[in-house]
């Protein structure tokens, strides 16, 4: 191709100089944008690989260089010694105990050993017997408990500062009677020695049940209980007991021992009691 052809006036001048393929003025702004993005991505990948190589490549090389070679040392295992076999006892031979040690010789006075002085027993001085002794505490003497008298047909109980002799009325009186029966008089006479030996007051108390009574002689149970107590006091007075020590009291049915709703309870409530109180005891 001649220079005239490619000259501005030649046939190829339009391709080379007028809106040719290399004319930047005719390109659009979007024709080379992908190229810049592609180049940026390549630069980032190259940079990433360079950094990875710099970080891990040096450590691998240093580790291979600095790690010393480990040489296997011989393992010395101590040899296990077999147990020493005991001498086998011959057949028919008995066990022989070890020989006893001889006792150590006694130390003598020769040399640096010096026995201590022999202790001489001291003579005990005869102790004189104590002439008197002082008690640590002055305890009062315990008063002996008096024995309760045992009388057939009489219930004896201990009360503060005395005794209580309880006798059922059927043992002293007949039915609907005030005077003592023969067996009742004998019973009271058996009480005389005990009452005479006691120093104090003797209160004879008459008790009845709650069944009302109304007779010309005894309008109520008050008169009946007082009359029976007076009958016993009269016998005691005739037996020689001082009248200043005797009391006759009628309580009617105010001091029951059991319920008055049953025959057994009413029979228990009909009684005569002799209350023995010491002279210096407080009045009940």
């Amino acid at each position: 191709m001649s220079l005239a052809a490619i000259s501005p006036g030649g046939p190829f001048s339009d391709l080379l100089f007028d809106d040719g393929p290399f004319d930047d003025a005719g390109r659009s702004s979007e024709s080379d944008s992908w190229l810049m993005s592609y180049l940026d991505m390549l630069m980032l990948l190259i940079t990433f690989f360079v950094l990875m190589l710099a970080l891990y490549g040096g450590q691998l090389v240093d580790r291979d260089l600095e790690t010393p070679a480990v040489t296997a040392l011989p393992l010395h295992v101590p040899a296990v010694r077999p147990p020493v076999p005991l001498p086998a006892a011959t057949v028919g031979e008995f066990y022989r105990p070890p020989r006893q040690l001889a006792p150590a010789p006694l130390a003598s006075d020769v040399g640096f050993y010096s026995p201590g002085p022999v202790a001489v027993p001291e003579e005990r001085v005869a102790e004189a017997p104590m002439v008197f002794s002082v008690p640590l505490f002055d305890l009062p003497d315990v008063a002996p408990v008096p024995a309760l008298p045992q009388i057939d047909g009489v219930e004896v109980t201990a009360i503060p500062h005395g005794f209580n002799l309880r006798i059922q009325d059927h043992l002293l009186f007949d039915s609907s009677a005030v005077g003592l029966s023969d067996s009742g008089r004998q019973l009271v006479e058996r009480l005389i020695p005990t009452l005479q030996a006691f120093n104090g007051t003797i209160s004879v108390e008459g008790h009845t049940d709650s069944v009302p009574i109304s007779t010309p002689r005894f309008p109520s149970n008050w008169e009946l209980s007082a009359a029976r107590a007076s009958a016993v006091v009269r016998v005691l007075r005739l037996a020689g007991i001082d009248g200043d020590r005797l009391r006759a009291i009628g309580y009617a049915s105010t001091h029951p021992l059991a319920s008055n709703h049953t025959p057994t309870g009413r029979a228990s409530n009909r009684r005569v009691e002799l209350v023995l109180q010491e002279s210096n005891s407080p009045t009940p």
Side-chain angles (χ1 to χ4, degrees), residues 22-111:
F22 300 101
D23 188 7
D24 295 336
R27 293 180 182 177
S28 62
S29 60
E30 298 179 357
S31 59
D32 56 355
S33 60
W34 63 272
L35 183 60
M36 297 302 295
S37 300
Y38 180 72
L39 293 177
D40 293 339
M41 184 180 66
L42 290 179
M43 290 299 294
L44 291 175
L45 289 175
I46 294 172
T47 304
F48 175 74
F49 285 117
V50 171
L51 291 175
M52 294 292 291
L53 182 61
L55 293 175
Y56 294 97
Q59 295 182 2
L60 294 176
V61 173
D62 296 339
R63 187 176 301 172
D64 295 338
L65 294 177
E66 296 178 358
T67 303
V70 179
T71 59
L73 298 177
L75 181 60
H76 298 281
V77 179
V80 180
R81 296 181 179 179
V84 179
L86 298 176
T90 59
V91 178
E93 182 179 358
F94 294 97
Y95 169 74
R96 295 180 181 179
R99 183 176 56 185
Q100 297 181 354
L101 299 178
L106 298 177
S108 62
D109 296 342
V110 180

Side-chain angles (χ1 to χ4, degrees), residues 38-283:
Y38 180 72
L39 293 177
D40 293 339
M41 184 180 66
L42 290 179
M43 290 299 294
L44 291 175
L45 289 175
I46 294 172
T47 304
F48 175 74
F49 285 117
V50 171
L51 291 175
M52 294 292 291
L53 182 61
L55 293 175
Y56 294 97
Q59 295 182 2
L60 294 176
V61 173
D62 296 339
R63 187 176 301 172
D64 295 338
L65 294 177
E66 296 178 358
T67 303
V70 179
T71 59
L73 298 177
L75 181 60
H76 298 281
V77 179
V80 180
R81 296 181 179 179
V84 179
L86 298 176
T90 59
V91 178
E93 182 179 358
F94 294 97
Y95 169 74
R96 295 180 181 179
R99 183 176 56 185
Q100 297 181 354
L101 299 178
L106 298 177
S108 62
D109 296 342
V110 180
F112 62 89
Y113 175 75
S114 177
V118 180
V120 179
E122 298 180 358
E123 296 181 359
R124 294 186 178 181
V125 180
E127 298 179 357
M130 298 181 64
V131 179
F132 62 91
S133 60
V134 179
L136 297 178
F137 301 98
D138 188 9
L139 299 177
D141 297 334
V142 180
V145 179
L148 298 179
Q150 301 294 330
I151 303 173
D152 295 339
V154 180
E155 182 181 354
V156 182
T157 57
I159 61 175
H161 308 285
F163 303 97
N164 188 355
L165 310 180
R166 182 176 300 159
I167 310 172
Q168 298 298 321
D169 68 334
H170 68 274
L171 299 176
L172 298 176
F173 308 99
D174 294 333
S175 180
S176 301
V178 177
L180 291 173
S181 61
D182 296 337
S183 59
R185 186 177 295 274
Q186 295 176 1
L187 178 58
V188 173
E189 290 176 354
R190 289 202 302 269
L191 299 177
I192 299 301
T194 302
L195 300 178
Q196 288 178 344
F198 181 79
N199 295 324
T201 60
I202 303 173
S203 299
V204 182
E205 301 175 354
H207 300 269
T208 63
D209 55 21
S210 61
V211 178
I213 184 176
S214 178
T215 62
R217 186 176 180 183
F218 306 109
S220 64
N221 285 322
W222 291 100
E223 290 80 6
L224 177 61
S225 61
R228 288 186 171 179
S230 300
V232 176
V233 169
R234 187 178 304 108
V235 175
L236 297 178
R237 183 67 184 88
L238 295 176
I241 297 178
D242 189 3
D244 296 337
R245 300 170 52 198
L246 299 175
R247 307 285 188 273
I249 305 173
Y251 284 106
S253 60
T254 58
H255 291 70
L257 296 177
S259 175
N260 285 305
H261 298 287
T262 60
T264 305
R266 289 192 295 269
S268 299
N269 294 331
R270 295 189 298 266
R271 67 195 186 277
V272 173
E273 295 184 359
L274 280 72
V275 181
L276 283 64
Q277 289 284 339
E278 297 177 357
S279 301
N280 55 355
S281 63
T283 305

